[in-house]
Amino acid sequence: MSSPNLAMPTASIAIARLVNTGTDNFAIWVVKAPYPSGYVLRDCVFSAELNQVWREWQQMFAGHSPLDITSLPTSPSATLPLAVISSAQGQSKSPYSSRLMQSLGINLWRWIFDGAILGSWERSRGMAMGQQTQLRFRLEIRDPDLIALPWEIMQPEAGQSAISLSQDVLFSRTISEVEPLPELRTDRALSILLVLGHDHKLQLDQEASLLKKTLLEGRGGGKTNSGYAPCTVKTLLQPTAQELIQELETKAYNVFFYAGHGVPDPDGGLLFLGNGFNINGIELAQVLTRTGVKLAVFNACWGAQPAAINHQAILASSLAEVLIRHGVPAVLGMRDEVADAESHSFIQTFASSLRSRKSIDEAVAAARQELLTLYKFNQPAWTLPVLYLHPDFDGELIKSVDEGITELPDPAIFGIDTPVNTAYVRSLSPGGKTWLLRSGVTRIGRTKDNDIVIPEIYISKRHAEILCRNTLNETTSSTTYYLQDFSTYGTTWYLSPNGWQQILREEVALVSGMQFMFGSSKGEIWEFIREEYSSNDADP
């Protein structure tokens, strides 16, 4: 499994709607911070002001039906200034469009970064600046109605950079409820499968030639640039689903690139391959994870947009979300409709950055800045690309030639002392169960799709996780287990020397004998047990 880049501090914030508290009440909390006390939580309301600015944005910029977030009025005439309505009806965009872009960005920022959350953010960013590196920041939106918002435009104040354009921050979205990453190959070259599907606007031969040239050459680079990684592109024109799967299984591709028509669909979007054939996100996820693709790019409309019924978004339905949930390391999709010229400009800079061995989130930031330069701040082009990264993926697509391959060597050959672990949790109640922990992630919750099921009403559907992480140095390898809270109200407890403590959606390292509870401080007590012995302790 690829591990996060330890040289770069990482912060992650999650947003979830609070159940049974009204339609517009949310919890915002720090899931990951580069210092122990950075894990903070606050509850808030999606304000009427923010909701109105969002509706104005949709009227001016969105190419699809608006999604409702709150129960506020949906009639444009009830909420929108006349200047916005007339602009949305086809007249040229007034200077108000630039103020709207800025206004929504500032409102989104202030909604997220307030109180203790802002303090945690500022300290995390200060730590990164002190280390003279960037802060890798990931945002997890757990409420489907909020997915469509352009979080990439968040900015602290007028005149300051949007978060996705900042020189000091690498921004992406993420999802914590994911399958563990498979063992990733070490690649030193880009190997791209370019699939052109059905789209009535595309001239397929010309489009294939243009995209292949764009991917191979990049902006200002080209195959003659010695600093660039090698790159190969294989093109499939309107394949059947079977032809697509067969090609992916034939060769070790690390990038899957689709250009064509796509629409939102409850099963992870729908891609039209041509000749009446299509494939949905769930079907595509199976083959991408099985064949080791690290990055999936969709030059298609709405790849990062959830499906909706009666203007209400469906949980975990966007193509990008579905692929990440199934274990694809990185997915780049479009939040809305995208013009060909915009997408080609983005792809050219993005491919060039990847070939110069930038991480995926660095490459997206560079390409987004190129879109802003070409199409200006007050136009939506630079807001369209949406990058999702798996929480265990550091964004590294290819390595430099002089980098060594990071693999676990055979201890019998290299003399590395490798511990053999058996870890489990057990209920201390009379007749309580014992559960063996998985390598990777063990999910704990009320519903049957969890690994450890606690069928009590006070347990969240997805309440907590126990993560198993491996680290390696020159002579030894070690395994550490962490307990992480995902409950709606932060009701996971562990017994510390100072008594029972709430985890509050942070991670706590587990040691053998540690006790914890879920849902209530007076609930069932569980114990973590770990049995470990060295492989060198085996009988001769």
Side-chain angles (χ1 to χ4, degrees):
M1 178 182 294
S2 178
S3 59
N5 186 346
L6 299 179
M8 185 177 293
T10 300
S12 182
I13 289 177
I15 306 172
R17 191 186 298 266
L18 294 176
V19 296
N20 302 322
T21 60
T23 60
D24 54 354
N25 290 271
F26 293 84
I28 302 176
W29 68 99
V30 177
V31 178
K32 188 176 183 62
Y35 66 101
S37 60
Y39 299 85
V40 293
L41 162 74
R42 75 180 184 92
D43 297 341
C44 58
V45 173
F46 198 89
S47 68
E49 178 186 3
L50 178 53
N51 188 68
Q52 177 170 332
V53 178
W54 168 228
R55 293 190 189 284
E56 293 172 4
W57 165 281
Q58 292 182 96
Q59 290 292 326
M60 180 166 287
F61 292 124
H64 60 283
S65 298
L67 297 175
D68 293 336
I69 295 175
T70 74
S71 56
L72 297 177
T74 58
S75 171
S77 61
T79 59
L80 302 185
L82 179 61
V84 180
I85 297 174
S86 63
S87 175
Q89 291 173 342
Q91 298 180 17
S92 60
K93 289 186 173 63
S94 70
Y96 182 80
S97 63
S98 61
R99 298 197 299 273
L100 178 58
M101 181 81 70
Q102 180 175 273
S103 176
L104 181 56
I106 293 173
N107 272 276
L108 288 173
W109 177 279
R110 291 177 178 174
W111 189 62
I112 297 286
F113 297 103
D114 190 19
I117 302 288
L118 178 60
S120 177
W121 163 262
E122 290 179 337
R123 183 171 175 183
S124 298
R125 192 169 184 185
M127 292 178 66
M129 294 175 67
Q131 297 176 28
Q132 297 183 333
T133 186
Q134 295 164 300
L135 177 67
R136 179 162 273 143
F137 176 65
R138 297 180 179 180
L139 183 65
E140 181 179 1
I141 309 297
R142 298 188 183 179
D143 184 86
D145 292 328
L146 300 184
I147 295 291
L149 272 77
W151 298 99
E152 290 71 15
I153 75 171
M154 289 190 296
Q155 66 181 99
E157 299 290 345
Q160 297 187 22
S161 294
I163 195 168
S164 63
L165 297 169
S166 171
Q167 299 295 316
D168 302 322
V169 178
L170 291 178
F171 176 82
S172 62
R173 302 192 191 191
T174 193
I175 298 172
S176 57
E177 189 173 349
V178 293
E179 291 298 320
L181 284 184
E183 193 71 31
L184 299 179
R185 295 185 302 267
T186 299
D187 297 318
R188 293 194 175 91
L190 288 179
S191 180
I192 302 172
L193 178 61
L194 171 58
V195 177
L196 270 77
H198 171 75
D199 192 324
H200 67 277
K201 297 181 296 182
L202 292 180
Q203 299 293 322
L204 287 180
D205 290 338
Q206 294 91 325
E207 184 76 6
S209 176
L210 175 60
L211 284 174
K212 188 170 183 178
K213 180 179 179 182
T214 297
L215 291 167
L216 286 173
E217 294 185 358
R219 184 173 298 278
K223 292 179 283 187
T224 61
N225 190 327
S226 60
Y228 272 36
C231 180
T232 59
V233 178
K234 173 66 180 292
T235 303
L236 290 182
L237 295 179
Q238 294 191 328
T240 65
Q242 184 58 40
E243 289 170 343
L244 171 60
I245 293 171
Q246 183 177 352
E247 181 60 35
L248 282 165
E249 292 178 337
T250 299
K251 186 178 177 182
Y253 293 101
N254 51 24
V255 179
F256 172 83
F257 190 103
Y258 173 84
H261 187 49
V263 296
D265 181 82
D267 292 326
L270 198 63
L271 301 178
F272 295 86
L273 300 178
N275 301 316
F277 294 97
N278 54 50
I279 189 168
N280 66 37
I282 294 176
E283 295 163 346
L284 182 61
Q286 308 302 316
V287 64
L288 293 182
T289 54
R290 187 171 68 248
T291 57
V293 170
K294 295 180 183 178
L295 169 64
V297 181
F298 297 93
N299 181 26
C301 300
W302 301 317
Q305 186 75 257
I309 298 178
N310 297 325
H311 304 310
Q312 295 297 315
I314 301 173
L315 180 66
S317 62
S318 78
L319 175 60
E321 287 182 285
V322 166
L323 295 185
I324 290 290
R325 286 174 181 270
H326 280 76
V328 177
V331 181
L332 178 63
M334 298 296 168
R335 183 181 47 77
D336 211 314
E337 293 180 345
V338 57
D340 289 342
E342 296 168 348
S343 66
H344 291 162
S345 299
F346 179 87
I347 292 162
Q348 195 171 36
T349 304
F350 180 60
S352 175
S353 298
L354 288 179
R355 291 190 61 197
S356 65
R357 300 182 177 85
K358 291 183 182 294
S359 65
I360 294 170
D361 44 5
E362 287 178 301
V364 169
R368 192 187 305 279
Q369 290 161 0
E370 179 71 14
L371 283 180
L372 183 141
T373 301
L374 292 175
Y375 299 99
K376 309 306 177 185
F377 173 79
N378 62 344
Q379 298 299 318
W382 68 273
T383 76
L384 296 177
V386 174
L387 174 65
Y388 278 86
L389 292 179
H390 191 287
D392 294 328
F393 184 51
D394 62 3
E396 184 180 64
L397 183 59
I398 54 177
K399 292 183 178 291
S400 300
V401 175
D402 56 351
E403 287 187 83
I405 299 176
T406 305
E407 294 177 349
L408 182 64
D410 185 347
I413 298 175
F414 293 93
I416 288 183
D417 185 10
T418 305
V420 180
N421 297 284
T422 299
Y424 54 91
V425 295
R426 64 183 180 186
S427 169
L428 298 184
S429 300
K433 292 184 178 181
T434 298
W435 302 79
L436 188 67
L437 296 178
R438 300 172 50 183
S439 59
V441 179
T442 301
R443 297 180 176 87
I444 303 167
R446 187 176 74 243
T447 54
K448 294 182 180 180
D449 57 343
N450 291 283
D451 303 297
I452 298 177
V453 179
I454 308 176
E456 301 291 345
I457 192 171
Y458 55 80
I459 301 295
S460 296
K461 292 181 180 179
R462 177 170 171 265
H463 200 101
E465 289 180 354
I466 295 178
L467 299 87
C468 174
R469 291 178 178 151
N470 297 307
T471 57
L472 173 68
N473 60 31
E474 293 180 356
T475 59
T476 61
S477 66
S478 62
T479 301
T480 305
Y481 291 85
Y482 297 87
L483 178 63
Q484 186 172 9
D485 172 66
F486 289 101
S487 63
T488 303
Y489 300 104
T491 52
T492 300
W493 308 73
Y494 72 99
L495 186 59
S496 74
N498 298 321
W500 288 101
Q501 304 287 329
Q502 280 183 276
I503 293 180
L504 292 175
R505 299 180 174 87
E506 61 187 273
E507 289 184 3
V508 172
L510 296 176
V511 296
S512 189
M514 182 179 285
Q515 296 179 6
F516 42 87
M517 294 183 290
F518 304 107
S520 169
S521 60
K522 298 181 181 179
E524 184 177 20
I525 298 177
W526 294 75
E527 184 179 28
F528 171 75
I529 300 294
R530 179 173 178 178
E531 299 172 351
E532 179 177 322
Y533 65 91
S534 170
S535 58
N536 293 340
D537 293 337
D539 292 335

